[in-house]
Short mmCIF file of all heavy atoms in Angstrom, two decimals:
data_model
loop_
_atom_site.label_atom_id
_atom_site.label_comp_id
_atom_site.label_asym_id
_atom_site.label_seq_id
_atom_site.Cartn_x
_atom_site.Cartn_y
_atom_site.Cartn_z
N MET B 220 85.51 139.84 95.49
CA MET B 220 85.24 139.51 96.89
C MET B 220 83.90 140.14 97.31
O MET B 220 83.62 141.29 96.98
CB MET B 220 86.38 140.07 97.74
CG MET B 220 86.41 139.60 99.16
SD MET B 220 87.97 140.06 99.94
CE MET B 220 88.00 141.81 99.73
N GLY B 221 83.10 139.36 98.02
CA GLY B 221 81.81 139.84 98.49
C GLY B 221 80.65 139.54 97.56
O GLY B 221 79.49 139.69 97.95
N GLN B 222 80.95 139.14 96.34
CA GLN B 222 79.89 138.81 95.39
C GLN B 222 79.38 137.39 95.61
O GLN B 222 80.08 136.53 96.15
CB GLN B 222 80.41 138.96 93.95
CG GLN B 222 80.77 140.38 93.57
CD GLN B 222 79.58 141.30 93.60
OE1 GLN B 222 78.57 141.06 92.93
NE2 GLN B 222 79.67 142.37 94.37
N GLU B 223 78.17 137.16 95.14
CA GLU B 223 77.58 135.83 95.19
C GLU B 223 77.92 135.07 93.91
O GLU B 223 77.95 135.66 92.83
CB GLU B 223 76.06 135.95 95.30
CG GLU B 223 75.31 134.64 95.23
CD GLU B 223 73.81 134.85 95.28
OE1 GLU B 223 73.29 135.17 96.36
OE2 GLU B 223 73.16 134.69 94.21
N VAL B 224 78.21 133.78 94.06
CA VAL B 224 78.43 132.95 92.88
C VAL B 224 77.58 131.69 92.99
O VAL B 224 77.30 131.21 94.09
CB VAL B 224 79.90 132.55 92.69
CG1 VAL B 224 80.76 133.76 92.39
CG2 VAL B 224 80.43 131.78 93.87
N ILE B 225 77.17 131.19 91.86
CA ILE B 225 76.45 129.92 91.79
C ILE B 225 77.20 129.01 90.83
O ILE B 225 77.40 129.36 89.66
CB ILE B 225 75.00 130.12 91.32
CG1 ILE B 225 74.23 130.98 92.32
CG2 ILE B 225 74.31 128.75 91.16
CD1 ILE B 225 72.81 131.31 91.90
N LEU B 226 77.59 127.87 91.33
CA LEU B 226 78.27 126.88 90.51
C LEU B 226 77.25 125.79 90.18
O LEU B 226 76.51 125.34 91.06
CB LEU B 226 79.46 126.28 91.25
CG LEU B 226 80.43 127.29 91.87
CD1 LEU B 226 81.60 126.57 92.53
CD2 LEU B 226 80.91 128.31 90.87
N ARG B 227 77.26 125.38 88.93
CA ARG B 227 76.23 124.46 88.47
C ARG B 227 76.79 123.10 88.08
O ARG B 227 77.90 122.99 87.56
CB ARG B 227 75.48 125.06 87.29
CG ARG B 227 74.61 126.23 87.69
CD ARG B 227 73.80 126.82 86.55
NE ARG B 227 72.79 127.74 87.06
CZ ARG B 227 73.01 128.99 87.42
NH1 ARG B 227 74.21 129.50 87.33
NH2 ARG B 227 72.03 129.75 87.87
N CYS B 228 75.99 122.09 88.32
CA CYS B 228 76.38 120.71 88.06
C CYS B 228 75.17 119.97 87.51
O CYS B 228 74.03 120.20 87.94
CB CYS B 228 76.86 120.07 89.37
SG CYS B 228 77.07 118.28 89.34
N VAL B 229 75.43 119.09 86.55
CA VAL B 229 74.40 118.16 86.10
C VAL B 229 74.91 116.76 86.41
O VAL B 229 75.81 116.25 85.73
CB VAL B 229 74.08 118.30 84.60
CG1 VAL B 229 73.02 117.28 84.18
CG2 VAL B 229 73.60 119.71 84.30
N PRO B 230 74.39 116.13 87.46
CA PRO B 230 74.84 114.78 87.81
C PRO B 230 74.39 113.75 86.77
O PRO B 230 73.57 114.05 85.89
CB PRO B 230 74.14 114.52 89.15
CG PRO B 230 73.69 115.86 89.64
CD PRO B 230 73.43 116.66 88.40
N ILE B 231 74.90 112.55 86.88
CA ILE B 231 74.48 111.46 86.01
C ILE B 231 73.01 111.15 86.30
O ILE B 231 72.60 111.12 87.48
CB ILE B 231 75.38 110.22 86.20
CG1 ILE B 231 76.81 110.59 85.75
CG2 ILE B 231 74.86 109.02 85.45
CD1 ILE B 231 77.85 109.54 86.03
N SER B 232 72.23 110.91 85.27
CA SER B 232 70.77 110.99 85.37
C SER B 232 70.13 110.01 86.35
O SER B 232 69.14 110.34 86.98
CB SER B 232 70.13 110.83 84.00
OG SER B 232 70.45 109.57 83.47
N ASN B 233 70.63 108.82 86.52
CA ASN B 233 69.98 107.88 87.43
C ASN B 233 70.60 107.88 88.83
O ASN B 233 70.28 107.03 89.66
CB ASN B 233 70.01 106.46 86.85
CG ASN B 233 71.43 105.94 86.71
OD1 ASN B 233 72.36 106.71 86.50
ND2 ASN B 233 71.61 104.64 86.85
N HIS B 234 71.49 108.82 89.08
CA HIS B 234 72.13 108.89 90.38
C HIS B 234 71.23 109.60 91.38
O HIS B 234 70.47 110.52 91.03
CB HIS B 234 73.48 109.60 90.28
CG HIS B 234 74.52 108.73 89.63
ND1 HIS B 234 75.86 109.07 89.60
CD2 HIS B 234 74.44 107.54 88.99
CE1 HIS B 234 76.53 108.12 88.98
NE2 HIS B 234 75.68 107.19 88.60
N LEU B 235 71.36 109.21 92.66
CA LEU B 235 70.49 109.74 93.70
C LEU B 235 71.24 110.56 94.75
O LEU B 235 70.61 111.30 95.51
CB LEU B 235 69.78 108.58 94.41
CG LEU B 235 68.93 107.67 93.51
CD1 LEU B 235 68.37 106.51 94.32
CD2 LEU B 235 67.81 108.46 92.85
N TYR B 236 72.56 110.39 94.81
CA TYR B 236 73.36 111.07 95.82
C TYR B 236 74.29 112.05 95.13
O TYR B 236 74.92 111.72 94.14
CB TYR B 236 74.17 110.05 96.64
CG TYR B 236 73.31 109.17 97.50
CD1 TYR B 236 72.68 108.06 96.95
CD2 TYR B 236 73.13 109.44 98.85
CE1 TYR B 236 71.87 107.25 97.73
CE2 TYR B 236 72.32 108.63 99.64
CZ TYR B 236 71.69 107.55 99.07
OH TYR B 236 70.89 106.74 99.84
N PHE B 237 74.37 113.24 95.71
CA PHE B 237 75.15 114.30 95.08
C PHE B 237 76.07 114.92 96.12
O PHE B 237 75.74 114.98 97.31
CB PHE B 237 74.21 115.37 94.49
CG PHE B 237 73.07 114.77 93.71
CD1 PHE B 237 71.77 114.89 94.16
CD2 PHE B 237 73.31 114.08 92.54
CE1 PHE B 237 70.73 114.33 93.45
CE2 PHE B 237 72.27 113.50 91.83
CZ PHE B 237 70.97 113.62 92.29
N TYR B 238 77.22 115.39 95.62
CA TYR B 238 78.27 115.87 96.52
C TYR B 238 78.96 117.09 95.92
O TYR B 238 79.04 117.22 94.70
CB TYR B 238 79.34 114.79 96.74
CG TYR B 238 78.81 113.40 97.02
CD1 TYR B 238 78.46 112.55 95.97
CD2 TYR B 238 78.67 112.95 98.32
CE1 TYR B 238 77.96 111.27 96.22
CE2 TYR B 238 78.18 111.67 98.58
CZ TYR B 238 77.83 110.84 97.52
OH TYR B 238 77.34 109.57 97.77
N TRP B 239 79.49 117.93 96.81
CA TRP B 239 80.42 118.98 96.41
C TRP B 239 81.70 118.83 97.20
O TRP B 239 81.67 118.56 98.41
CB TRP B 239 79.84 120.38 96.65
CG TRP B 239 78.84 120.80 95.63
CD1 TRP B 239 77.48 120.80 95.75
CD2 TRP B 239 79.11 121.31 94.32
NE1 TRP B 239 76.89 121.26 94.60
CE2 TRP B 239 77.87 121.58 93.70
CE3 TRP B 239 80.28 121.56 93.59
CZ2 TRP B 239 77.76 122.10 92.41
CZ3 TRP B 239 80.17 122.07 92.31
CH2 TRP B 239 78.93 122.34 91.73
N TYR B 240 82.82 119.00 96.48
CA TYR B 240 84.16 118.99 97.07
C TYR B 240 84.88 120.22 96.57
O TYR B 240 84.53 120.81 95.55
CB TYR B 240 84.94 117.76 96.60
CG TYR B 240 84.40 116.44 97.06
CD1 TYR B 240 83.37 115.80 96.37
CD2 TYR B 240 84.91 115.80 98.19
CE1 TYR B 240 82.87 114.58 96.79
CE2 TYR B 240 84.43 114.58 98.62
CZ TYR B 240 83.40 113.98 97.91
OH TYR B 240 82.91 112.77 98.34
N ARG B 241 85.92 120.60 97.30
CA ARG B 241 86.77 121.67 96.78
C ARG B 241 88.23 121.26 96.91
O ARG B 241 88.59 120.43 97.76
CB ARG B 241 86.52 122.99 97.50
CG ARG B 241 87.19 123.09 98.84
CD ARG B 241 87.12 124.47 99.42
NE ARG B 241 87.90 124.53 100.66
CZ ARG B 241 87.85 125.53 101.51
NH1 ARG B 241 87.07 126.58 101.27
NH2 ARG B 241 88.58 125.51 102.61
N GLN B 242 89.05 121.86 96.07
CA GLN B 242 90.49 121.61 96.12
C GLN B 242 91.21 122.94 95.94
O GLN B 242 91.23 123.49 94.83
CB GLN B 242 90.91 120.61 95.03
CG GLN B 242 92.37 120.20 95.11
CD GLN B 242 92.72 119.11 94.11
OE1 GLN B 242 92.11 119.01 93.04
NE2 GLN B 242 93.69 118.28 94.44
N ILE B 243 91.77 123.44 97.02
CA ILE B 243 92.60 124.63 96.94
C ILE B 243 93.89 124.24 96.24
O ILE B 243 94.40 123.13 96.43
CB ILE B 243 92.86 125.21 98.34
CG1 ILE B 243 91.53 125.69 98.95
CG2 ILE B 243 93.87 126.34 98.30
CD1 ILE B 243 91.61 126.06 100.41
N LEU B 244 94.41 125.14 95.43
CA LEU B 244 95.58 124.85 94.61
C LEU B 244 96.71 124.24 95.43
O LEU B 244 97.13 124.81 96.45
CB LEU B 244 96.05 126.13 93.92
CG LEU B 244 97.15 125.97 92.88
CD1 LEU B 244 96.65 125.12 91.71
CD2 LEU B 244 97.63 127.32 92.40
N GLY B 245 97.15 123.05 95.02
CA GLY B 245 98.28 122.40 95.69
C GLY B 245 97.91 121.63 96.94
O GLY B 245 98.78 121.08 97.60
N GLN B 246 96.61 121.60 97.27
CA GLN B 246 96.19 120.93 98.50
C GLN B 246 95.28 119.73 98.20
O GLN B 246 94.97 119.44 97.05
CB GLN B 246 95.49 121.92 99.42
CG GLN B 246 96.38 123.06 99.88
CD GLN B 246 95.72 123.94 100.93
OE1 GLN B 246 94.79 123.52 101.61
NE2 GLN B 246 96.21 125.16 101.06
N LYS B 247 94.87 119.05 99.26
CA LYS B 247 94.00 117.88 99.12
C LYS B 247 92.60 118.28 98.69
O LYS B 247 92.15 119.39 98.97
CB LYS B 247 93.85 117.16 100.46
CG LYS B 247 95.11 116.67 101.10
CD LYS B 247 94.79 116.01 102.44
CE LYS B 247 96.05 115.63 103.18
NZ LYS B 247 95.75 114.91 104.43
N VAL B 248 91.92 117.33 98.09
CA VAL B 248 90.49 117.50 97.86
C VAL B 248 89.78 117.39 99.21
O VAL B 248 90.11 116.52 100.03
CB VAL B 248 89.96 116.40 96.90
CG1 VAL B 248 88.45 116.50 96.74
CG2 VAL B 248 90.66 116.49 95.55
N GLU B 249 88.81 118.29 99.44
CA GLU B 249 88.10 118.31 100.73
C GLU B 249 86.59 118.18 100.51
O GLU B 249 86.03 118.86 99.63
CB GLU B 249 88.36 119.63 101.45
CG GLU B 249 89.81 119.92 101.77
CD GLU B 249 89.98 121.33 102.30
OE1 GLU B 249 89.84 122.29 101.50
OE2 GLU B 249 90.26 121.48 103.51
N PHE B 250 85.97 117.37 101.32
CA PHE B 250 84.52 117.19 101.26
C PHE B 250 83.82 118.45 101.77
O PHE B 250 84.20 119.03 102.78
CB PHE B 250 84.15 116.00 102.14
CG PHE B 250 82.69 115.82 102.39
CD1 PHE B 250 81.87 115.20 101.46
CD2 PHE B 250 82.12 116.25 103.57
CE1 PHE B 250 80.52 115.01 101.70
CE2 PHE B 250 80.77 116.08 103.83
CZ PHE B 250 79.96 115.45 102.89
N LEU B 251 82.78 118.87 101.07
CA LEU B 251 81.98 120.00 101.53
C LEU B 251 80.61 119.52 102.03
O LEU B 251 80.22 119.79 103.17
CB LEU B 251 81.75 121.01 100.40
CG LEU B 251 82.96 121.80 99.93
CD1 LEU B 251 82.57 122.72 98.78
CD2 LEU B 251 83.55 122.62 101.06
N VAL B 252 79.87 118.80 101.16
CA VAL B 252 78.49 118.50 101.48
C VAL B 252 78.00 117.32 100.66
O VAL B 252 78.48 117.09 99.55
CB VAL B 252 77.62 119.75 101.23
CG1 VAL B 252 77.58 120.10 99.74
CG2 VAL B 252 76.23 119.62 101.80
N SER B 253 77.07 116.57 101.23
CA SER B 253 76.37 115.53 100.47
C SER B 253 74.88 115.83 100.53
O SER B 253 74.38 116.45 101.49
CB SER B 253 76.68 114.14 101.03
OG SER B 253 76.31 114.06 102.40
N PHE B 254 74.15 115.36 99.51
CA PHE B 254 72.76 115.76 99.33
C PHE B 254 71.99 114.57 98.81
O PHE B 254 72.41 113.90 97.86
CB PHE B 254 72.75 116.90 98.31
CG PHE B 254 71.44 117.62 98.13
CD1 PHE B 254 71.11 118.68 98.95
CD2 PHE B 254 70.56 117.26 97.12
CE1 PHE B 254 69.93 119.38 98.77
CE2 PHE B 254 69.38 117.94 96.93
CZ PHE B 254 69.06 119.01 97.76
N TYR B 255 70.87 114.28 99.45
CA TYR B 255 70.05 113.15 99.04
C TYR B 255 68.59 113.46 99.34
O TYR B 255 68.28 114.04 100.39
CB TYR B 255 70.48 111.88 99.78
CG TYR B 255 69.54 110.72 99.62
CD1 TYR B 255 69.43 110.05 98.41
CD2 TYR B 255 68.73 110.29 100.67
CE1 TYR B 255 68.56 108.99 98.24
CE2 TYR B 255 67.85 109.23 100.52
CZ TYR B 255 67.77 108.59 99.31
OH TYR B 255 66.90 107.52 99.15
N ASN B 256 67.72 113.09 98.43
CA ASN B 256 66.28 113.25 98.66
C ASN B 256 65.94 114.70 99.00
O ASN B 256 65.15 114.96 99.91
CB ASN B 256 65.84 112.30 99.78
CG ASN B 256 64.35 112.03 99.75
OD1 ASN B 256 63.71 112.10 98.71
ND2 ASN B 256 63.78 111.74 100.92
N ASN B 257 66.56 115.60 98.26
CA ASN B 257 66.29 117.04 98.38
C ASN B 257 66.67 117.66 99.72
O ASN B 257 66.11 118.70 100.09
CB ASN B 257 64.82 117.35 98.08
CG ASN B 257 64.58 117.42 96.60
OD1 ASN B 257 65.41 117.93 95.86
ND2 ASN B 257 63.47 116.90 96.16
N GLU B 258 67.61 117.03 100.40
CA GLU B 258 68.11 117.69 101.60
C GLU B 258 69.55 117.31 101.85
O GLU B 258 70.04 116.28 101.37
CB GLU B 258 67.24 117.36 102.81
CG GLU B 258 67.12 115.91 103.16
CD GLU B 258 66.18 115.69 104.33
OE1 GLU B 258 65.21 116.45 104.49
OE2 GLU B 258 66.44 114.76 105.10
N ILE B 259 70.22 118.15 102.62
CA ILE B 259 71.61 117.89 102.98
C ILE B 259 71.65 116.69 103.91
O ILE B 259 70.93 116.64 104.91
CB ILE B 259 72.24 119.12 103.66
CG1 ILE B 259 72.43 120.25 102.64
CG2 ILE B 259 73.58 118.76 104.30
CD1 ILE B 259 72.91 121.56 103.26
N SER B 260 72.49 115.69 103.58
CA SER B 260 72.62 114.54 104.47
C SER B 260 73.85 114.66 105.37
O SER B 260 73.85 114.15 106.49
CB SER B 260 72.65 113.22 103.69
OG SER B 260 73.56 113.28 102.64
N GLU B 261 74.87 115.36 104.88
CA GLU B 261 76.06 115.57 105.71
C GLU B 261 76.81 116.78 105.19
O GLU B 261 76.80 117.06 103.99
CB GLU B 261 76.96 114.32 105.65
CG GLU B 261 78.12 114.34 106.62
CD GLU B 261 78.86 113.01 106.65
OE1 GLU B 261 78.39 112.04 106.04
OE2 GLU B 261 79.92 112.96 107.30
N LYS B 262 77.45 117.52 106.09
CA LYS B 262 78.27 118.65 105.67
C LYS B 262 79.50 118.73 106.54
O LYS B 262 79.50 118.27 107.68
CB LYS B 262 77.49 119.96 105.70
CG LYS B 262 76.96 120.33 107.07
CD LYS B 262 76.14 121.61 106.99
CE LYS B 262 75.63 121.99 108.39
NZ LYS B 262 74.83 123.25 108.36
#
Side-chain angles (χ1 to χ4, degrees):
Chain B
M220 192 168 57
Q222 295 297 304
E223 174 183 287
V224 294
I225 297 176
L226 310 182
R227 290 183 168 80
C228 168
V229 179
I231 295 173
S232 61
N233 64 329
H234 286 190
L235 302 176
Y236 292 81
F237 314 113
Y238 315 85
W239 282 102
Y240 294 84
R241 79 170 185 192
Q242 186 175 29
I243 295 170
L244 188 63
Q246 297 187 22
K247 301 179 186 184
V248 176
E249 300 172 289
F250 170 82
L251 291 178
V252 66
S253 58
F254 190 87
Y255 169 71
N256 200 27
N257 279 322
E258 59 183 33
I259 290 174
S260 49
E261 189 172 352
K262 60 183 181 179

